[in-house]
Amino acid sequence: MNAVASPGDLREWIALLEREGELVRISAEVDPDLEITEINDRVVKAGGPALLFENVKGARHPLLINQFGTERRMCLGFGASSLDEVGRRLGDVLEMQPPEGLVAKVRGLQKLKSIADSRPKTVRSGASQEVVFTGDDVDLDVLPIQRCWPGDPSPFVTLPAVITHDPRDGTRNVGMYRMQKVDRRTTLMHWQIHKDGRADYLFSDGRLEVAVALGLDPITAYSASAPLPKHVDEFMLAGFLKGSPVELVRAKTIAVDVPANAEIVLEGYVEQGDLAPEGPFGDHTGYYTPVEPFPVFHVTAITMRRDAIYPSIVVGKPPQEDAWLGKATERIFLPAIRMSVPELVDYDLPVAGAFHNCAIVSIRKRFPGHAQKVMHAIWGLGLLSLTKAVVVVDEWVDVHDYEEVFFRLGANVDPMRDVMLSEGPLDHLDHAPTRQFYGGKLGIDATHKGPEEGTREWPPEIEMSPEVRDLVSSRWAEYGIALDPAARNGQMRQSSTTRRLVRR
């Protein structure tokens, strides 16, 4: 895929999607209560386009959904030919060493300049404040906020960039946290126990000002979901990946800077001790998360562009649109993980595992217990510490080929020797552990073993000789054998009938 320039705001993004045949406008009236979810679910699972609903029942604004629903659209949003290319951009900076020689020094200065130029830029005015509502004019009912699943008690804002500051040092945090709508001027703020937004709230002494940006360019929207260390500004990451700074303007009723080109901004505050029951919510785990107390967000102002477009996303049983947000993180942060775990070759967070339930890791194995060392490294690394199961394979194994990984699990694992049980922190949304937030962890060493690990002599793996492979390839036309590429080298695929029989 040829790279294109990254869009500057949501409207440029929509225009790009239309030019690329990646967006469909729906003029028929649709209901944000469940109906949009069902439409979107069918489109997502078919690999279909982004959807712009222009006539949403009971609302004054159109709704954009499924903008991130395929790998191609994610790459378009990043202005890159692949997500790994985006990761390499970040890796080039992370791996900077003291330069030697004039050319290397010039390149190093260029990289440092790109970092400096990534810092957010404050401007005097922005399109996000073309229309301003304060006081009694604040009304969340004008927005087409979805109720996504039948068990959800009310509509939820699902694609926000929530902006807070650490009360101790002023460090900005931008996170993507769902917001349950309570009434015209209040929502609940789902700050999970491991999230930086919750930390800012807990460190506050009374009131914490909060801004919520909705409808951003794709890179800035993605940055709100990025698992960055607390001292790294998500807007700076967005500026680096875009190649231009995120422009910010001071909010109208709070001392928080907000994206100048956002479609919609909610301004307000939360207060210590002001909690209310939130949930249940149909979440990316495929199950409803239970009711828990979370902070109440009081909206003091709504600012927006004229004819603002509201963005939404639906999560649920995978795959959903958020799968490609997660895959983007997987690819983009591979170089960063290698900085801490240099023996790591690649990793995969299966979509079906909701990203935090399983990690498949390939390593350059050098010594006995190396796989176990890497398991513990993963369990001590940022939000990867919440991973429930880690499978380690050799460097030549394709971690994205689940059939190959399963073959290695069957062929190379002695459960008495190669399965490790541990315990530690688990994701806030994980319903399986007996204790919330904490439970068991599983590590599986599916690498080849050597004599120093107490095994018998490891057998050689079956491979055809290169000479014979080349011979057959050169003579293939002579054989007159037509193969269907969809057959995928004879790999078995169960029919739906077979799967039903197996389940009985």
Side-chain angles (χ1 to χ4, degrees):
M1 185 183 114
N2 295 325
V4 296
S6 174
D9 60 22
L10 186 69
R11 300 190 184 198
E12 287 186 12
W13 176 222
I14 289 172
L16 174 61
L17 291 175
E18 285 199 289
R19 288 196 303 272
E20 294 290 329
E22 290 282 351
L23 181 137
V24 171
R25 293 176 180 264
I26 296 94
S27 58
E29 184 182 70
V30 292
D31 197 330
D33 189 85
L34 305 182
E35 184 181 5
I36 289 179
T37 296
E38 179 62 18
I39 297 168
N40 185 68
D41 191 53
R42 298 185 189 191
V43 172
V44 168
K45 288 180 167 59
L51 305 174
L52 184 60
F53 292 99
E54 298 177 315
N55 185 10
V56 183
K57 182 179 179 181
R60 299 180 191 171
H61 297 275
L63 179 149
L64 175 69
I65 198 166
N66 200 29
Q67 58 178 304
F68 301 116
T70 65
E71 182 177 15
R72 182 171 190 267
R73 288 204 289 281
M74 286 301 303
C75 292
L76 282 172
F78 279 103
S81 58
S82 71
L83 294 175
D84 283 311
E85 178 192 319
V86 184
R88 284 191 291 271
R89 293 180 201 167
L90 189 61
D92 285 344
V93 174
L94 293 173
E95 295 169 6
M96 282 186 67
Q97 299 294 329
E100 297 181 6
L102 179 60
V103 174
K105 288 179 180 178
V106 171
R107 288 174 179 166
L109 287 172
Q110 290 172 339
K111 290 179 181 178
L112 290 173
K113 185 177 185 302
S114 72
I115 297 172
D117 292 344
S118 302
R119 290 176 298 183
K121 175 184 176 182
T122 303
V123 296
R124 292 186 176 183
S125 62
S128 62
Q129 296 178 341
E130 289 175 342
V131 180
V132 178
F133 299 102
T134 59
D136 291 339
D137 293 328
V138 170
D139 187 1
L140 293 172
D141 289 342
V142 303
L143 302 178
I145 304 174
Q146 284 182 263
R147 188 170 76 98
C148 298
W149 298 106
D152 295 353
S154 58
F156 284 80
V157 177
T158 52
L159 199 61
V162 179
I163 307 164
T164 56
H165 290 270
D166 189 323
R168 300 168 300 173
D169 58 15
T171 302
R172 177 171 37 232
N173 176 70
V174 186
M176 191 175 289
Y177 315 110
R178 75 181 188 233
M179 300 164 58
Q180 180 178 338
K181 181 180 170 230
V182 177
D183 55 36
R184 296 171 63 243
R185 280 180 277 184
T186 54
T187 78
L188 301 173
M189 192 67 72
H190 190 260
W191 280 326
Q192 298 172 34
I193 191 171
H194 305 109
K195 304 298 185 180
D196 291 339
R198 181 183 178 90
D200 290 347
Y201 170 70
L202 293 177
F203 285 128
S204 66
D205 183 16
R207 178 172 292 193
L208 178 70
E209 294 184 326
V210 182
V212 178
L214 297 162
L216 303 168
D217 67 87
I219 290 181
T220 307
Y222 161 77
S223 72
S225 73
L228 294 175
K230 193 169 185 351
H231 62 279
V232 178
D233 187 345
E234 287 81 3
F235 286 154
M236 185 170 178
L237 172 68
F240 175 77
L241 295 177
K242 288 170 59 177
S244 61
V246 175
E247 292 188 344
L248 302 176
V249 64
R250 180 51 57 99
K252 293 295 186 180
T253 59
I254 57 175
V256 176
D257 291 337
V258 301
N261 290 327
E263 292 289 318
I264 302 163
V265 174
L266 311 180
E267 304 176 9
Y269 62 89
V270 296
E271 290 188 311
Q272 281 283 355
D274 185 11
L275 306 174
E278 193 264 6
F281 176 73
D283 221 317
H284 73 277
T285 60
Y287 291 83
Y288 287 97
T289 49
V291 176
E292 292 184 76
F294 279 97
V296 177
F297 174 53
H298 300 271
V299 183
T300 55
I302 300 177
T303 72
M304 61 178 67
R305 298 178 69 149
R306 294 185 183 90
D307 303 318
I309 300 166
Y310 174 83
S312 190
I313 191 170
V314 171
V315 297
K317 287 183 181 178
Q320 296 289 344
E321 180 183 352
D322 62 324
W324 283 108
L325 288 171
K327 280 297 174 182
T329 292
E330 175 195 286
R331 296 295 88 204
I332 292 170
F333 285 87
L334 175 59
I337 294 171
R338 284 176 177 158
M339 294 293 292
S340 297
V341 192
E343 59 268 64
L344 186 142
V345 175
D346 201 357
Y347 77 123
D348 184 279
L349 304 175
V351 172
F355 292 101
H356 52 74
N357 284 335
C358 181
I360 304 167
V361 179
S362 59
I363 65 168
R364 299 179 187 89
K365 185 177 176 182
R366 297 292 179 263
F367 50 81
H370 202 162
Q372 288 74 14
K373 181 256 188 190
V374 170
M375 293 172 196
H376 287 293
I378 296 296
W379 288 328
L381 194 61
L383 289 179
L384 280 175
S385 64
L386 306 178
T387 305
K388 194 186 302 190
V390 178
V391 177
V392 183
V393 295
D394 290 295
E395 59 187 288
W396 56 83
V397 176
D398 182 358
V399 294
H400 310 294
D401 185 338
Y402 300 151
E403 288 195 4
E404 184 179 3
V405 172
F406 196 84
F407 164 71
R408 305 292 171 174
L409 282 167
N412 295 341
V413 172
D414 175 355
M416 289 186 64
R417 178 194 64 216
D418 300 326
V419 174
M420 179 172 67
L421 293 177
S422 185
E423 58 185 71
L426 294 175
D427 193 272
H428 192 134
L429 305 178
D430 191 344
H431 61 273
T434 303
R435 290 172 53 192
Q436 192 178 20
F437 314 130
Y438 189 88
K441 292 179 178 286
L442 173 68
I444 303 177
D445 178 3
T447 63
H448 283 195
K449 312 302 186 299
E452 65 274 19
E453 294 172 279
T455 67
R456 295 175 291 157
E457 181 180 356
W458 207 258
E461 195 170 330
I462 299 171
E463 292 284 352
M464 180 52 70
S465 66
E467 295 80 9
V468 173
R469 290 177 64 91
D470 292 343
L471 171 68
V472 170
S473 295
S474 66
R475 297 194 59 199
W476 192 258
E478 295 180 48
Y479 305 147
I481 305 171
L483 293 181
D484 178 5
R488 294 193 61 191
N489 298 322
Q491 293 181 7
M492 295 183 65
R493 290 289 183 273
Q494 288 184 344
S495 68
S496 58
T497 302
T498 305
R499 288 196 295 270
R500 286 195 296 270
L501 289 171
V502 169
R503 289 171 180 164
R504 288 179 181 175

